[in-house]
Amino acid sequence: MRHNPRNRPTLNRYTSLPVLLDILTRKEIMLLNPASWEDINDSFYIEQYRIKKNLKAVLALCFTTRAETFHHWKIFSGGSSGVCIRFYRTTFLQCVRDVQGTHSKSVKYRLVKELKENPPPLEDWPFLKRKPFRDEGEFRIIYENSETCEETKAIPFDVNCIHWISLSPWLPRSIMETVKKVIKAIDGCEKVPVNRSTLIENLGWRSAIENTPACS
C-alpha cells in the first residue's frame, strides 16, 4: 500500500520524460559526472575532493527534499517534457546502500565567510553549496571509485520505491492521458500513480476565490 508522503519522507528527482522512460524500463537510475553541472562552484568542490582523495571517479545524483515549487520545475525540468519522480526516501536509500562505493546525505549551505573562518572537513566537500541555493533543499548521492575511471554508475531499484510521478504543469492536457498510458505500459509500472502537476492550474485554488463573496 502506498502511503501519504507526509508520513513517509520523499526524495524528489526532477528530470525529463525521455530519461524517466529509460529509468522505468531499466529499473535503474544513473549517477553522472558533475563536470557538466551548471553550477561551476559546485562541480569544482567535487573535483577537488576527487583529487585530494586520489580517486579515479566521483559521480553524483541530486534530489530535493522540498515540496514542488515553480523554481524546481522551471530550473530542473522546464518545458512540457519535465517530470518529477518522488521516491520513498527510506526504501530508495536501502537500494542505494546496496551499491558499493555510494554514500549520501543532505547538502549543507554555507557563506564564503563561514568556510574561510571554519574550513570544512574533506568528507563534507561533495555536500557543500553556497547559501543562495538553500531553497533547493538538496539531498545528494555520491559514488566513489579509486581504481576505475567511470562516467556513469547505475543504481538498481524496486518500482515500489516510487510514491508517484508528476508530469509537467506545462504538459498539454490533450496528451496527458497518452503519456500516462505509455508510462503504465512499462513492465512493473501498472500501479505507479501518475498525475499532472497542478502547480500553475489548480481548481481548488481558483474555486476558493470563485465561491467567496467579495468584501465591500
Side-chain angles (χ1 to χ4, degrees):
M1 180 181 295
R2 297 177 183 275
H3 302 286
N4 192 308
R6 292 179 182 176
N7 300 322
R8 295 181 63 183
T10 59
L11 294 175
N12 306 321
R13 173 66 182 175
Y14 288 84
T15 186
S16 66
L17 181 58
V19 173
L20 169 69
L21 297 178
D22 182 70
I23 289 171
L24 296 179
T25 300
R26 295 173 181 268
K27 310 298 187 290
E28 296 177 338
I29 191 166
M30 292 290 181
L31 280 77
L32 303 174
N33 191 331
S36 62
W37 286 358
E38 189 171 15
D39 184 353
I40 298 174
N41 293 326
D42 212 1
S43 55
F44 175 83
Y45 266 54
I46 294 181
E47 176 60 11
Q48 292 303 303
Y49 173 81
R50 185 192 68 78
I51 293 171
K52 295 287 186 182
K53 290 198 68 175
N54 196 28
L55 299 169
K56 296 292 185 181
V58 176
L59 308 178
L61 185 63
C62 304
F63 302 79
T64 178
T65 58
R66 304 281 175 84
E68 68 172 353
T69 65
F70 186 83
H71 168 86
H72 288 136
W73 281 109
K74 203 68 175 178
I75 299 299
F76 301 122
S77 56
S80 61
S81 66
V83 299
C84 178
I85 315 170
R86 305 180 190 277
F87 292 95
Y88 288 122
R89 176 171 175 153
T90 300
T91 51
F92 178 69
L93 289 181
Q94 288 174 351
C95 298
V96 173
R97 285 190 285 271
D98 289 339
V99 179
Q100 187 175 0
T102 60
H103 56 115
S104 59
K105 60 181 177 179
S106 297
V107 168
K108 297 177 181 179
Y109 299 91
R110 296 289 184 264
L111 296 171
V112 173
K113 179 182 178 181
E114 292 174 332
L115 293 187
K116 289 182 176 180
E117 293 177 350
N118 186 21
L122 180 60
E123 294 302 319
D124 282 352
W125 289 14
F127 303 98
L128 290 174
K129 207 162 185 176
R130 291 192 64 201
K131 209 152 195 173
F133 292 90
R134 63 187 178 277
D135 289 341
E136 293 176 357
E138 186 176 328
F139 185 92
R140 189 172 289 174
I141 298 170
I142 297 292
Y143 166 78
E144 303 177 8
N145 193 322
S146 60
E147 298 178 354
T148 306
C149 184
E150 298 175 275
E151 289 297 316
T152 62
K153 184 66 177 180
I155 295 180
F157 67 90
D158 191 299
V159 172
N160 288 326
C161 291
I162 298 176
H163 174 68
W164 81 67
I165 294 169
S166 292
L167 304 177
S168 171
W170 293 282
L171 179 70
R173 288 186 175 276
S174 59
I175 63 173
M176 178 182 64
E177 291 301 324
T178 300
V179 173
K180 289 173 65 174
K181 287 179 182 178
V182 169
I183 292 172
K184 288 179 173 291
I186 298 173
D187 183 44
C189 298
E190 301 86 357
K191 296 183 180 180
V192 175
V194 182
N195 294 292
R196 178 176 177 266
S197 170
T198 62
L199 183 68
I200 62 173
E201 189 180 358
N202 189 293
L203 294 178
W205 173 263
R206 288 171 11 205
S207 65
I209 296 297
E210 290 175 343
N211 299 327
T212 301
C215 297
S216 58

